[in-house]
Amino acid sequence: MDLQLAGRVAVVTGASKGIGLAVTSTLLAEGARVVATSRTRGPGLEALACPDLVHVPADLMDPAAPEEVVARAAETFGGLDILVNNAGGPPPGVTLPRGSFLDAGDEEWRAMFEFNLFSVVRAVRAAIPLMLERGGGAIVNVSSGNARQPSPINVDYGAAKAAMTNLGKALSVEFGSRGIRVNTVSPGPVRTPWWTDQGGVADMIAAQAGAGRDDALDKIAPEMMNLTTGRLADPQEIADAVALLASPRSASTTGADFAVDSGFLKEI
């Protein structure tokens, strides 16, 4: 299926690995021009190097960074059609999961919201005027199943993502009549570096269970999280949903929240 993305200009945050890298690769394959931002370029983006890809190194904890990244898209490619707010998770210096709500003080909460919510607010604020100049656009926010399924060991993260999901719905109402669609994709556990890196979540679960990391990824975590499919999702599966929502083929889809979560969320 042609997603009709050829020539469109996209910004993707958190683009150097995991879901963000898969989204960047998918949009490029569909003919889009992409401004990819992350703290470092990384080997994944290096492998995608081409004239249609520009990497902007940025720390989204810096309040000025989101606007600078969006401006780079206009300077380089002449405008903006798509914004994918993918960057998220534990901010620098923070490790998840936590043991308890009581383990996070005010500074940890501020950092979590700065990275997972305020950076998104700033990127959207910068992107909307550029999209309006072109008659519309698509914003896709990558949230989390924890936005709707609270977890006591990730409570600050879940609260920030719940706010992000609420933001997307509100934006879709205000700007839908002006041609800007805003949708949310809410993954469950995904085989990203957060899980698979040394010292990541898989290693934490393996240590607690007295098992190997492969068992933690393939068996223990899916059972612990009651995943219907019996496995963690692949980043490409999230990227496919993001690309479809960014596409004009989804012209009547806005304000939606798509769970791509291996059956993690069971509630209606």
Short mmCIF file of all heavy atoms in Angstrom, two decimals, residues 16 19 52 59 72 90-92 119 125 127 135 149 170 199 207 219 225 228 234 246 249:
data_model
loop_
_atom_site.label_atom_id
_atom_site.label_comp_id
_atom_site.label_asym_id
_atom_site.label_seq_id
_atom_site.Cartn_x
_atom_site.Cartn_y
_atom_site.Cartn_z
N SER A 16 17.57 7.68 17.26
CA SER A 16 18.82 6.95 17.03
C SER A 16 18.73 5.45 17.29
O SER A 16 19.63 4.70 16.91
CB SER A 16 19.94 7.55 17.90
OG SER A 16 19.66 7.36 19.28
N ILE A 19 12.33 2.29 18.72
CA ILE A 19 11.15 2.68 17.95
C ILE A 19 11.46 3.86 17.05
O ILE A 19 11.06 3.88 15.88
CB ILE A 19 9.98 3.01 18.90
CG1 ILE A 19 9.53 1.76 19.66
CG2 ILE A 19 8.81 3.60 18.12
CD1 ILE A 19 8.55 2.04 20.79
N ASP A 52 18.04 12.57 2.06
CA ASP A 52 16.72 12.84 2.65
C ASP A 52 16.71 12.73 4.17
O ASP A 52 15.65 12.88 4.79
CB ASP A 52 15.68 11.88 2.08
CG ASP A 52 15.32 12.22 0.64
OD1 ASP A 52 15.48 13.39 0.24
OD2 ASP A 52 14.88 11.31 -0.09
N ASP A 59 19.47 17.71 23.06
CA ASP A 59 19.01 17.20 24.34
C ASP A 59 17.64 17.81 24.60
O ASP A 59 17.54 19.01 24.88
CB ASP A 59 20.00 17.59 25.45
CG ASP A 59 19.55 17.11 26.83
OD1 ASP A 59 18.47 16.49 26.93
OD2 ASP A 59 20.28 17.37 27.80
N ARG A 72 14.86 23.51 12.13
CA ARG A 72 15.82 22.92 11.20
C ARG A 72 15.10 22.24 10.03
O ARG A 72 15.59 22.26 8.88
CB ARG A 72 16.71 21.93 11.94
CG ARG A 72 17.80 21.31 11.10
CD ARG A 72 18.89 22.30 10.72
NE ARG A 72 19.94 21.63 10.00
CZ ARG A 72 20.97 20.99 10.56
NH1 ARG A 72 21.08 20.98 11.89
NH2 ARG A 72 21.89 20.41 9.83
N PRO A 90 12.87 6.80 30.68
CA PRO A 90 13.59 7.42 31.79
C PRO A 90 14.54 8.49 31.29
O PRO A 90 15.33 8.24 30.36
CB PRO A 90 14.35 6.26 32.42
CG PRO A 90 14.42 5.21 31.36
CD PRO A 90 13.21 5.38 30.51
N PRO A 91 14.50 9.70 31.83
CA PRO A 91 15.45 10.73 31.44
C PRO A 91 16.85 10.39 31.93
O PRO A 91 17.01 9.46 32.74
CB PRO A 91 14.90 11.99 32.12
CG PRO A 91 14.08 11.49 33.25
CD PRO A 91 13.54 10.16 32.83
N PRO A 92 17.86 11.10 31.45
CA PRO A 92 19.23 10.80 31.88
C PRO A 92 19.37 10.79 33.40
O PRO A 92 18.86 11.67 34.09
CB PRO A 92 20.04 11.95 31.26
CG PRO A 92 19.24 12.38 30.08
CD PRO A 92 17.81 12.20 30.48
N SER A 119 8.76 18.37 26.66
CA SER A 119 9.46 18.41 25.38
C SER A 119 8.47 18.23 24.23
O SER A 119 8.63 18.82 23.15
CB SER A 119 10.54 17.32 25.32
OG SER A 119 9.98 16.02 25.30
N ARG A 125 4.17 22.97 19.86
CA ARG A 125 3.98 24.43 19.79
C ARG A 125 4.77 25.02 18.61
O ARG A 125 4.30 25.95 17.94
CB ARG A 125 4.44 25.07 21.10
CG ARG A 125 4.12 26.55 21.22
CD ARG A 125 4.72 27.10 22.50
NE ARG A 125 4.04 26.58 23.67
CZ ARG A 125 4.67 26.17 24.78
NH1 ARG A 125 5.98 26.19 24.84
NH2 ARG A 125 3.97 25.74 25.80
N ALA A 127 5.72 23.19 15.90
CA ALA A 127 5.34 22.54 14.65
C ALA A 127 4.04 23.05 14.07
O ALA A 127 3.89 23.15 12.84
CB ALA A 127 5.23 21.03 14.88
N GLY A 135 -1.25 23.97 5.08
CA GLY A 135 -2.63 23.50 4.99
C GLY A 135 -2.96 22.31 5.84
O GLY A 135 -4.04 21.74 5.72
N GLN A 149 -2.87 1.86 32.01
CA GLN A 149 -2.72 0.75 32.96
C GLN A 149 -1.66 1.16 33.98
O GLN A 149 -0.48 0.92 33.79
CB GLN A 149 -2.30 -0.52 32.23
CG GLN A 149 -2.15 -1.73 33.14
CD GLN A 149 -3.46 -2.11 33.80
OE1 GLN A 149 -4.46 -2.32 33.14
NE2 GLN A 149 -3.46 -2.16 35.11
N ALA A 170 -6.77 16.56 23.16
CA ALA A 170 -7.16 17.98 23.17
C ALA A 170 -6.69 18.69 21.90
O ALA A 170 -7.42 19.49 21.30
CB ALA A 170 -6.57 18.66 24.40
N GLY A 199 22.29 -4.27 31.70
CA GLY A 199 21.75 -3.50 32.82
C GLY A 199 20.34 -3.01 32.61
O GLY A 199 19.80 -2.29 33.45
N ALA A 207 17.73 -11.07 37.12
CA ALA A 207 18.38 -11.12 38.43
C ALA A 207 17.37 -11.46 39.52
O ALA A 207 17.65 -12.25 40.43
CB ALA A 207 19.08 -9.80 38.72
N LYS A 219 10.24 -15.38 27.99
CA LYS A 219 9.26 -16.15 28.76
C LYS A 219 8.77 -15.41 30.01
O LYS A 219 7.58 -15.23 30.21
CB LYS A 219 9.86 -17.50 29.15
CG LYS A 219 8.89 -18.48 29.80
CD LYS A 219 9.53 -19.84 29.96
CE LYS A 219 8.52 -20.89 30.43
NZ LYS A 219 7.99 -20.60 31.77
N MET A 225 3.69 -9.91 32.48
CA MET A 225 2.85 -8.82 32.00
C MET A 225 1.58 -9.30 31.32
O MET A 225 0.81 -8.49 30.80
CB MET A 225 3.67 -7.94 31.06
CG MET A 225 4.93 -7.39 31.70
SD MET A 225 5.89 -6.30 30.64
CE MET A 225 4.91 -4.80 30.78
N THR A 228 -0.92 -11.19 25.65
CA THR A 228 -1.76 -12.13 24.92
C THR A 228 -0.97 -12.86 23.84
O THR A 228 -1.17 -14.06 23.60
CB THR A 228 -2.95 -11.39 24.28
OG1 THR A 228 -3.66 -10.70 25.31
CG2 THR A 228 -3.88 -12.36 23.58
N ASP A 234 8.05 -5.97 18.44
CA ASP A 234 9.23 -5.53 17.73
C ASP A 234 9.08 -4.04 17.40
O ASP A 234 7.96 -3.59 17.10
CB ASP A 234 9.39 -6.32 16.43
CG ASP A 234 10.66 -5.98 15.70
OD1 ASP A 234 11.71 -6.56 16.02
OD2 ASP A 234 10.62 -5.09 14.81
N ALA A 246 0.56 8.73 10.20
CA ALA A 246 1.15 9.93 9.60
C ALA A 246 0.71 10.12 8.16
O ALA A 246 0.84 11.21 7.60
CB ALA A 246 2.68 9.84 9.66
N ARG A 249 -3.50 8.41 4.04
CA ARG A 249 -4.44 7.29 4.00
C ARG A 249 -5.25 7.20 5.28
O ARG A 249 -6.26 6.49 5.34
CB ARG A 249 -3.67 5.98 3.77
CG ARG A 249 -2.83 5.93 2.49
CD ARG A 249 -3.68 6.03 1.23
NE ARG A 249 -4.49 4.86 0.99
CZ ARG A 249 -4.14 3.84 0.20
NH1 ARG A 249 -2.97 3.86 -0.43
NH2 ARG A 249 -4.95 2.83 0.02
#
